[in-house]
Every structure is written in C-alpha cells, then in structure tokens.
Amino acid sequence: MREIKKAVLAYSGGLDTSVILKWLQDTYQCEVITFTADLGQGEELEPARVKALQLGIKKKNIFIDDLREEFVRDFVFPMFRCNTVYEGEYLLGTSIARPLIAKRLIDIAKKTGADAISHGATGKGNDQVRFELGAYALMPNIKVIAPWREWDLLSREKLMAYAEKHGIPVEMKHKKGGSPYSMDANLLHISYEGRHLENPAAEAEESMWRWTVSPEKAPNKAEYIDLEFKQGDLVAINGKKMEAHELLASLNQIGGKHGIGRLDLVENRYVGMKSRGCYETPGGTILLRAHRAIESITLDREVTHLKDDLMPRYASLIYNGYWWSPERLALQSLIDHTQQTVNGWVRLKLYKGNVIVVGRDSKNDSLFDSTIATFEDDAGAYNQKDAHGFIRLNALRLRIAANRANRKG
Amino acid sequence: MREIKKAVLAYSGGLDTSVILKWLQDTYQCEVITFTADLGQGEELEPARVKALQLGIKKKNIFIDDLREEFVRDFVFPMFRCNTVYEGEYLLGTSIARPLIAKRLIDIAKKTGADAISHGATGKGNDQVRFELGAYALMPNIKVIAPWREWDLLSREKLMAYAEKHGIPVEMKHKKGGSPYSMDANLLHISYEGRHLENPAAEAEESMWRWTVSPEKAPNKAEYIDLEFKQGDLVAINGKKMEAHELLASLNQIGGKHGIGRLDLVENRYVGMKSRGCYETPGGTILLRAHRAIESITLDREVTHLKDDLMPRYASLIYNGYWWSPERLALQSLIDHTQQTVNGWVRLKLYKGNVIVVGRDSKNDSLFDSTIATFEDDAGAYNQKDAHGFIRLNALRLRIAANRANRKG
Amino acid sequence: MREIKKAVLAYSGGLDTSVILKWLQDTYQCEVITFTADLGQGEELEPARVKALQLGIKKKNIFIDDLREEFVRDFVFPMFRCNTVYEGEYLLGTSIARPLIAKRLIDIAKKTGADAISHGATGKGNDQVRFELGAYALMPNIKVIAPWREWDLLSREKLMAYAEKHGIPVEMKHKKGGSPYSMDANLLHISYEGRHLENPAAEAEESMWRWTVSPEKAPNKAEYIDLEFKQGDLVAINGKKMEAHELLASLNQIGGKHGIGRLDLVENRYVGMKSRGCYETPGGTILLRAHRAIESITLDREVTHLKDDLMPRYASLIYNGYWWSPERLALQSLIDHTQQTVNGWVRLKLYKGNVIVVGRDSKNDSLFDSTIATFEDDAGAYNQKDAHGFIRLNALRLRIAANRANRKG
Amino acid sequence: MREIKKAVLAYSGGLDTSVILKWLQDTYQCEVITFTADLGQGEELEPARVKALQLGIKKKNIFIDDLREEFVRDFVFPMFRCNTVYEGEYLLGTSIARPLIAKRLIDIAKKTGADAISHGATGKGNDQVRFELGAYALMPNIKVIAPWREWDLLSREKLMAYAEKHGIPVEMKHKKGGSPYSMDANLLHISYEGRHLENPAAEAEESMWRWTVSPEKAPNKAEYIDLEFKQGDLVAINGKKMEAHELLASLNQIGGKHGIGRLDLVENRYVGMKSRGCYETPGGTILLRAHRAIESITLDREVTHLKDDLMPRYASLIYNGYWWSPERLALQSLIDHTQQTVNGWVRLKLYKGNVIVVGRDSKNDSLFDSTIATFEDDAGAYNQKDAHGFIRLNALRLRIAANRANRKG
C-alpha cells in the first residue's frame, strides 16, 4: 500500500463518490479534499457540500467551482474550431470535460499540498485514462487512486453494504436499483451507457432521453436562428451577444425544444472494447453544422482539406485523453491559426430534429465570388480556356501511364 | 483547328447538347456519334434517339445504354464502402457518375474508331475535368472537344439564335428562359446550381426541390426499415434482396417520401472557385448512416480510424475526377480489403428528414462483446487492473516532459 | 500464480534464456518446450539443443527451425516495399523479426497443446510488446510469461547466482561481466543498446561494430552492383538470381565490406521512453536506396506520394508490434497493389559507407519519357502553353484570397 | 496581345534573360525593370548591371539585391525545421528560392508601379509555377509574361540568331554549344538537369559536379564538427555564432570538402512528367541529419510522428510552388510551435561523403532520461510490471478479433 497524505477527490456528492470518499479515509488514512465542479450538468452543487461535511471533510477542504465559462470558452469552442467528430458521429461531450477536471484537481492538489488525486471512473472506460493522463501531464509525480481498480466493491450490493456500514446516506432511487443507465452530463451533452443499452441491436427506450424532446414531439413549426461567428467561435445568437457558456446553454435550450442532437452509436474505446452509447448534444449539433457553414465561405479550400485530414487524429487525441499533450497543442496552434478569417453569420432552420443551413455570409471575409462562379456572363473574371491547360497537365501522368499499359498490351 | 474524323458526344437530347451536335458537324466537319446513358436520372431516353436522327446522326451511330446497374454496383457502392463525403457534407452524386460516362465514351470511341470525344460541360465546372481526366486515362491520345471552352455562344441568346438558325427544335421552356437552375440527376442524386442560388446568403426556394418532400410535408408517422449488408454493400431492404440499382432506387423512394437527404452548401471546386450547390440524395443519405452503423460493430478500431483518415483524400480524388487514377485504385484495394467482415443488418427509423440508427447486429462478424463492455460483473473477461499499467506507460512521455518543464521553471 | 501446463520458450541457448528455462520449470512446475530459430543471426544453433537437453528438456520438445527464407521473403521484403523507416532513420531490423518468432511460438503451442509462451524480453523494451501482441493476435487465450516482469532476478549478480545454484553452465564471458551491450541480430541487422551507449552525447566505440568495417577501413576502390527488382522485390544481384535470404545475405556481405549501414540514433520506444541504439544494416541500407530508385521511374507520382504519406504510420505499426493487426494487413494490401509495375534494375556505386545511385531503368514499366522531359525539341509531345491555364487555375483561389486581403487592407 | 506598361524581369545577366529583356521591349513595347538577386549562387552581380545598361535599361530600373540572409533565415531554416525532403531524397534547393524571388519581383513591381513580371523559366518545369503562384498570391492582378511559353525561339539556334540580330553579346561558351546542363544555384544547392542526364540509366559524368569533391578525392581523415541549435535553427558551428547565411556557407564549404551532398535522382514534376536531376547540397545534407538528431532528444514522440506524417505534404507544397499559400502558413505555424524546445548541440563526423551523428545533447531540453532507459537498476523510475497491463489492453481488440476468426473457423 502506497503512503498517501492528502488526496483530492473528484466528488459529485452521489453514492459512488461518497463511498470512495469514505474508502479513501479508511484505506489510506489520508486527508481528503473534495472538488465538485459546475460544468452545466444541471444539478445543484450545494448538496455535495453538505454531504462532504457530513462525511467529515473540513470546510477548507471542500472546493466547489463554477467552471462553465472556462469549460465552453477554453475547451468546447477550441474543439469545435476543428469540426471535431469521433468516428464520424460522436461529438465528444464527455471527453472534452475531463481535461478541465484533471486541471482543477491538480490546481487544488498544488494549492493544498496534496500528493494524490482520486476519481470514480471505472477500469473499463475512457474517463480513467482522460483524468489520469491529464493529471500526469500537469504534475508528473502525482499519485493516482482509482478505487474501482483497487477495491473489491465490484457489485452494487457490496457498494450499498459498505455505504450502510459506514453511515453514508443512500437515496431511495439507489435502493430501488438505481438508474438503468450510467450517465454523464455537462453543458455540451448528456450521455447514457450500460444496462438496457448493452444490446446494440435493441432500440433505446424513449423514456431514457432527458434533454431533448423526440422529433415527433417537437413543434410543428420550424424556427430560424442566426448565428454569428468571430475567429471561428460563436459570439451571438439572433444578434444577441452572450458569454460562451450562455450561448451554448441557449443553443441547448433551442435544440432540445426541436428534438435536435440525439445519437445512438457503437464506439471504440481506447482501452480496446466496443461500447454502445447514446448521447444528446443539442447545442453542439447545431454549432457543428453552423461552424462548417461559416468556414465554407471564409476558409481556403486547401486549408479546409488540411483541417479535414487532421480532424480524425485531433478527435482521437481528445477522445483518448491527450488534451494536455504536446501533439494536441501543436495541432491546436494550426487550427487556431486558420480561424482568423472565420467571421460571419449563418442562418439555420430548425425543425423536428433537422438542422438545415439555409444561408451564410461574411461581410469582410467571404471567399465566395459570384462574379467568377456565375453561369451568366462573368465579364472576363474567369477565362474558360484556362481549363484546357489545367486538365491537360493534370492528365499528363495518367496519359503516360496509359501509354505504358498500351505498350504492355 | 485540329483535324477530327469522328467524335463521340455525350448527348442528353436537350438543347445544349443538340446545339453542340450541330456545332461539331459544322465546325469540325466530322462524323458525330451520340451516346446517351440511363443512369437513373428519370428521363425518357428514346426522345434523344429521335432528336439525334432528326439532326442527321446515322442509326448505327446512336448509342443508348442502360447503365444503372453498373453505375450503382461498380461506382456508387464501392464509394460508399469508404463512407465518402466531400468537405464534410457532399455525397458526390454528380462526381461519381462522370467516370462511368467517360468510360463508355471511350468504349464507344474504340469500337467505332472515333478519334475524339465531346461533352457539354462548361469551362468553369468540375465535370469537364472529370470527363476529360477519365478519357485521357483510358485512351491517352484521344482528342477532346469542349465546345463551351471553344465557341463564342456564351450567352443563352446566342445559343438560341444558333439553334433556330440550324433548325434545332427549341422547347417552350427554353424560350421562356429555361430552368432557373443548372441541374444534374442520376440514381444517387439530383443537384441544383446557378441563378437563384448564386447568393449563398439567400435560402433556396421550396419549389426548387424535386425528389424529396420537405420534412414538413413528410408523413407524421415514422417508418422503420432494416438494411442488410454483405462485404460492405447493401444487399437487401426489409429482407428483400434486389439488384444494386433497385436497392438504391428503393431507398430513394423511401427517403424522398420522408423528406430525407436535402443539402444546401458552398463547396470548393477543383478549378479554384467556391460554388453554392443544393442536392437531394435521399437513398445515399440513408445508406451512409447505415454503412457507418454496420461498420461500427464489425470493423476493428484502427481499421476504422485508418479509413477515416484516408476518406477525405479518397473523396477529393473522386470529386476532382481521378476515379481512373492509380492512386484511387490503390486506395480502393485497401478499402475493399477492409470490407470482408462488414456483414450484418442495421435498423433505421425514418421520420421527417431524420435518419435514426436504432439497432445493428451481425450474426458472425460482430466485434461487440457485451461480456467485456458490461457494467455488471464480467466474470473476469476484462481485468480492470490492466488499465493501471496501460495508463502509466501511455503517460510516461508526458511525465518526462512535465519534469523537463518543471526543471526549466 | 496462474496455472501453466506447458510453455513454449523462445530459447537462444544463452545465459538469460537458460535461466528462464529453469525458472519456468521451478516456478510454474510446467513442461517447457524450447524454440530456437535461425534468422540469420550468425550463430550455431546446435549448442542450444545440447544445452536444452542438459537442462532436462525432452528431445521432442526441442524445436530448432531455419526461418531465414520465410523471414526475408514474407517479412523483410514486404516491409521494404514501403521504403519503411522509423523516425526518419531506423530500418526496423529487430522489429520485423519479432512477429515471425511470435507466429512460430504460437504454431508450436498449437501443435504441442501448450497453453503458454515465454520470452526473455525485459519490461522496458519494445520486444515484449511485439512478441505478446503477435501471440495474442494469433491465439487470443494464450498465456504469456514474461519472467523479467515477474521475477526478482533483476541484477546480473542475482541472475548468475541463480544459474550457479541450478547448475546452469555460465560461460567465461559472463563471469567477466558479459558484453558491454545488449545485442540482437538477424539477417537484416545487428543492434546494440545499453551500457556505454546510455550517454547519447558520447560517441560509440569503434570496437562495438561487428558486421561492417568502418568507412575508413573499407576498400579504396568503389564497387558497382546491379540490382534487379520484380514487383518491388529484389530478385537478382549482378544478374544472378537467388533466394530471398541469399540475396540479403549477399548484400550484407557486400555492404559490410564497404562500411555501409552503420547508424547511431535516439529513438522513441512504444513504452514511452527515449533510448539510444546503434545499428548495422548493410544490406537493408543498400536495398532501401535501390527500391526507392526503381520506384522513381516505375511508380506514378500520386501513388508515390500516397505511399510516402502512409509510410510513417506503417513503420510505427511494425515498430510497435502490430504486424499481425488488421490495420497492417489493410495497409499491406495497398502497398502490394502498387508494386505490380515496380520492375527493372538499379545500378549502385558502393564506396566507403556511401550507397550512390548512378542509374536505373525498366524495360517495360518505365514512366520516364525523355521525349517529354527533354530540354531539346520535343516534337509536340508537350505543349508548353498548357502550363498557362494550369497555373492560372491553380492560382485562382490564391488570387481570390489576395483580393480579400487587399480589400481588408 | 495584352497591353503591358512596365514589366519587372528576373534577370541573371546571362544570354537567355538578356534575350528575354530585348524581346519584352520589342514585343510589348514596355518599360523593363531588371531584378538580379544574390542568393549565394557564387556569381558576380555587377556584370548583370553593366549588361542591363548596355541593353538600354535605365539606371533607376536596375535592382540588384543581396538576399542571402533573408533567404537562409526566412526560407531555408523554416523549411529545415520540418526535416523537409521531397520524395524521400530531394532537399528542395531550387524550390525554396523561388518564393523569395517572387516576393521581390512583386515588391519591386509595387514600388515602381509595374503591371507585369517576367521570368526565364520554361513551360515544362516547376519554376514557372513557383514564380507565378507566388506572384499571384502576393498581387492577384499582376500580369505574368513567360516568354518560353509565348515566343517561337524554341531552339538554341533561333535564340542565338535573335541575340546576334539584336546586338546582345554572346559569350564564347554559348557559341560552343553552352553548358551541357541546365543549372541553378543558390546558397542551398546547385542543380543539374538536361542533356547528358536525360537518360536515367546512365551515370552522370564526374566532371559535372562543381561544389563537392568526389568522396574518393575527399580527405583521408575525418573531421568532427559541433552544431548548436536554438529553437530548431542552427546558430553556431564549433561554438562560433554567425549569421544564418554565413552558417550555411560555412557548412557548404566543409561539406564540399568532404564530398558530402551529391544526389542523383528521378523526380516527379508538378506539371506531370518525370525528370532526372542531379544535386549538390553539402550544407543542407549536414543540416538535415543534425536537425533530426537534435530533435531526437528534445522532441516528444508523438510530436515527432505528427511532423513526420505531415512532412511529405509540406515538402510537396514547397516543391509545387505553394510557399505563399494559406495551407503552407498553417503548417508552418504548427512546425514552428514544435521547435521551442529544440535546443542543444549535435556532434558529427564527416568523412568521404558520410555524415555520421556521433553525439547529441541538450542542457535544458533533453527528454532522454537514462535513469529510466537503463538496463541497470533504475531505482524504481520505471515499473516493469506496468508493461503487462499496457500490452493486455493494447491487445484486447486483437484478441476479440481473433476470437471472431476462431468462431468462424
């Protein structure tokens, strides 16, 4: 058993992390510091403080932070600058929150002189990797306690027994078997895994979804919205400027109302297994379409293609927990560099699950030149004869190869 | 002026290619062979024969081919094996038809001893490039006549005047100004460009769309369909096996009914300009989602990521007209190699523009292993403790770098 | 302690694997099968048989295989088809042998009904990963015993003490402290790591190198050789056809004589650390240059670039031990597809460490067309005016962007 | 014929550009401005001034610039930060000089109010593309006059006749048939193309090479040099700090003496043909090896691999003339970002054509940690047991796939 003096625990106030809290105290005989973050998950945080106090945590050792603005401004928005999607579908809602939590855990560890961090992620998932890679990258000698990989409380019954034995309050819902899903929420998304979803052939139950209405229940009338971008980031909705986290919350509200952003997929985890997950990302789904649309008129073709080529790699880095790696920072420097001209607005039509781009423009940064593209008379802006040489030289290597093939018969 | 003996013309029977037909005869004094293809564009082909005869083409010089099965089986399906999308949005409906037309033009040229081909694509677009690169790759010394780059009939008025002067019948719609859009259709899609669309800020008119109803007008009740895949290709819908082109036609019909597959975007043409296009790809939109879903349980993670990394390049090759290039063939060999295990079925829910994956399974080829992924007791299938070493070694280089940063202060 | 019935040990006959042999018997009380391979490392194998017998291995449990032809034909040559180099320098001599050893270990395990394999690689290196990933990919439930990660014989003194206690003969060289390097050899290379090399600032001692003379000691007269390739593989030297392993052995002999193929570098291991290694790859160094040269006239430009773009990924796969992965196989299918036309010969001048390409040609597959490239009159093979349109259209997007920049001032 | 008022000509003072100068005056009746640059090609520039005056250029219209420092500092060094090599071999000596010339041509055009530029590159090569793409990117409406694509002086005889008719002095060497090669030189390299080299099967003549002695004629004694790097750029040789262009000139002198940097290859031109070229790049060859070596201890593994993956693309951009494109700038921002820690020194041994890395170190930025890598006791710096979990989880997907294969039999 390692010697631990002080451990900072990512603490939600729920049953699992409360058991962990107690288990840390018992097992390592160490001082425990709790850290609870508001990432926009939509839960009250004060109950976590109360519970931590009940479990014997000193007042000065309880950290409760509103990280919503930092989360959206410094994590979500930079990621969307790259139109980031993992495996063609997943918008990385859980993945992008983990590095911020890792950062705060380490900040608090440094501030309080703690020598360890702890978290409630299991040994099968991606989150353990994301927390720990982040922590190691920011404080290389930090000790990490991952109770799910260490203890023997591997069944729900054992966990509940431990809770009762140690006087940890257990809510009624847990006694009844708990949620049928493992969930995670923040301003970007809410996710569902496990239980009923473990058969990928079976449709998810309608009752599972929490943030969005079904397309069927969405309004029968479409809604138009205008999104304004500055250097690749959303800055206003329908002309109203807001802080980053307010913008995303607002998009979530609008998207949720219109049944936008549900996703049901099987993804490949970094630890080597396939896993089925369902996600609701209403605001992110809107943002992704809109960002691509504003780039479509403001970004050079080859820069667009370079970004497209690098995107899956960037997405995997984030999915796998390498936000704080030098390669992510290098890619980010390229991505951010390209966004200087990504300014303008996009008009979207939202209707029963659909996000439809209907218009886009940029006052100063459009590369769309209708005088060139027009099917009408272009007054010499483009010389069609140039296409002849363009094609002939691009065809040259193909013609030489065809001649070879002909020679060989 | 080059000397041309015989030219094979890609002939639609419409006004433009009829004028070209006449212009070729007049300008080059050459024998003209017409080639008209059924790619599922939904137009009668016999009128093209009649018109060609009227314009003096010999019976033996009129080629009318039903290429629908070849088109879907050998072009569309191979492309969908790669989940191919250009610039994050466009499903390449026009691009993928051009290499087949190029191939048939050259086949006919070889058969008839023609020394030239001709087409009606303008000097501003991608299609000229696709036709001509294909032709050169298949017959390196073929001569290419691209009238729009050569003649002076650059306005609609001049074109009509030429038609009337040479006794080419002009339909009433052309006299009235013609379609407000430049359109192209085949079994995969119908596209709209030009005129009203040349302002990318303005919404397309509802009346433009021809293949799909609007999501608003789509049925109020969702429809479920089951798609079955074999080696990456669709082989049956709702248990009914059909030929490739019948499958796609069927998906188009279902998708169109549910308002699926409309797209409005600004794309980057190979010739260097941005252009706004609207597309309806109902069947393709469904197929893309389903193919990704069946791959999600049957394809290895790293193979998936390799394909994702190569996809934009493969898409650009097709968009730019390099179907018949050696690099496309090399990529195709990789892609096809990966599809051996892509067998199984996908269940989709279609509703007012939405294509929702609700289930997927594979009898023999699933890599989804719920005994490993489960949140419940896995009976030792996965040892959570392994994650410790996995993370520690993946973190090692990050920790060494962090130590360096600390040393430097 | 896991239960092991029978273990196949990769056995060199040296001190370390002899100690492992004994330790396996003692620790797991299991039957041990030894496997010793001739990969061209230049050592007698019969002493390994004698030693195994001395250590109590049954005759039928001793496997000694000559794998030289399989090694070069099915592993080395396929790898060279991709001009494979790790981190710009390393020719992967050790990496490429490991998957073959893994394959034979599993073949023998299946044949003999063994439930485990064992090897002498340490817990810090890449070889453990390569052996074990290969074994798991070929037999998913095989047990792996990696003594260096399990036992406590972590110092040379403890190892020697164990050997003496168990009657394992210790050669004089070990008593004297053993080689100052950790070495590995096969037909492709010999490698040196550890000890004197652990300071990357210090020059390796001249006495370390075993396969090549120093450039200074190489002949004062250059030697010319002609290499013939068929479908990307070397098939003859100076007109003499030989088996694959004979060809490589011959190149090693020639290269070694001329001081070719020494390398001193710091590489990044898969387990996360940097490590300094010295390598001698005389034949491989010659082969790499020659293969690139024959490709330079027989391979299309874009295929060449596609291969160049994928090469580092392919190299990392091999370096990291993923030879038997589906993504390596997918890449290999692309690479092999491209080699159909890589036929012809290359002339090289070898002199004191230099491999100088002086000529290359291909009877049927050259894409070099001097009638086009010539600075002299080309009789119309190439129309210089075509370059105008080629440049104009390639410049179009740059000009549009420059106009934007000018507008913005 | 376009109307041209003033044209800036890239003028070497040689026969070809002198004929162009006269031809421009005659053909376009325009004012000609000459621009002659010192890029370290090793030729006197004052004769170019004298000749321009003789041909009637006004004094104020003659621009002669020493661009050596700008060339090496802002073009060569940034390119070497990426270890840039085209098609595995070529160090881009010509390619990297062209964008600087394009920039100066445009600078002078803007300063003098010229509306056109002109150059002496032929219609078959890459240089026309590089000059013109650069020019268009920097001044979108500039007119470009490429006489070799316009005039009919396509044979040497016609050129000489024109020269004599217009009183352009022709040196004796031209009368005798001129150099047997087309050459280009600057501080990075000298290149040879054409004539005797047009048969890629034939060895280049020894008499061709100008900058380096043959390895045979190089000193019999090796020379050691120490190169110091700061943020990826060479800053000192053997402890002596110099300006960028002095450093490269010094490396050229040392490398040339030791027979370093000759290259004979067949490359793929952007205009579609293969071409055989010979190059001498003594300093660049040394610099490339040294830069890789200093990166090997100061750069993170994944950053190294990211750069390796992007390098061929970056190299193609430069080769094809896209230095002034937004995608090159985006890649450069990534590359430069990575070089912050590339500080330290490299020791090289130079001997008869060989550049041998013998040592490398970095005071503050080394990531090499011998306490981890050591084969000796590491005092717990690395826990070998971690490798078990690392391998097990990396193997998981391979094992699941193998199970599938076994099931299918």
Side-chain angles (χ1 to χ4, degrees), chain B residues 350-387:
Chain B
L350 309 179
Y351 174 70
K352 286 188 179 287
N354 295 276
V355 182
I356 303 163
V357 178
V358 299
R360 69 297 272 166
D361 207 355
S362 173
K363 202 181 160 202
N364 299 313
D365 288 291
S366 179
L367 293 169
F368 185 92
D369 186 337
S370 66
T371 62
I372 288 177
T374 185
F375 281 82
E376 321 293 322
D377 189 342
D378 66 7
Y382 178 98
N383 186 346
Q384 298 205 28
K385 286 181 178 49
D386 288 341

Side-chain angles (χ1 to χ4, degrees), chain B residues 298 300-302 341 364-367 372 382 386-390 392-394 396-397 400-401 404 407-408, chain D residues 298 300-302 341 364-367 372 382 386-390 392-394 396-397 400-401 404 407-408:
Chain B
T298 59
D300 171 77
R301 180 185 72 199
E302 294 303 311
T341 60
N364 299 313
D365 288 291
S366 179
L367 293 169
I372 288 177
Y382 178 98
D386 288 341
H388 174 77
F390 179 75
R392 287 290 292 181
L393 293 205
N394 280 317
L396 183 54
R397 66 182 174 93
I400 293 171
R404 172 176 71 181
R407 272 198 319 269
K408 293 175 75 176
Chain D
T298 57
D300 171 78
R301 179 185 72 200
E302 294 302 311
T341 60
N364 298 313
D365 289 289
S366 179
L367 293 168
I372 288 176
Y382 178 98
D386 287 342
H388 174 77
F390 178 75
R392 287 292 291 181
L393 293 204
N394 280 317
L396 184 53
R397 65 184 176 92
I400 293 170
R404 172 175 71 178
R407 274 199 318 270
K408 295 175 75 177

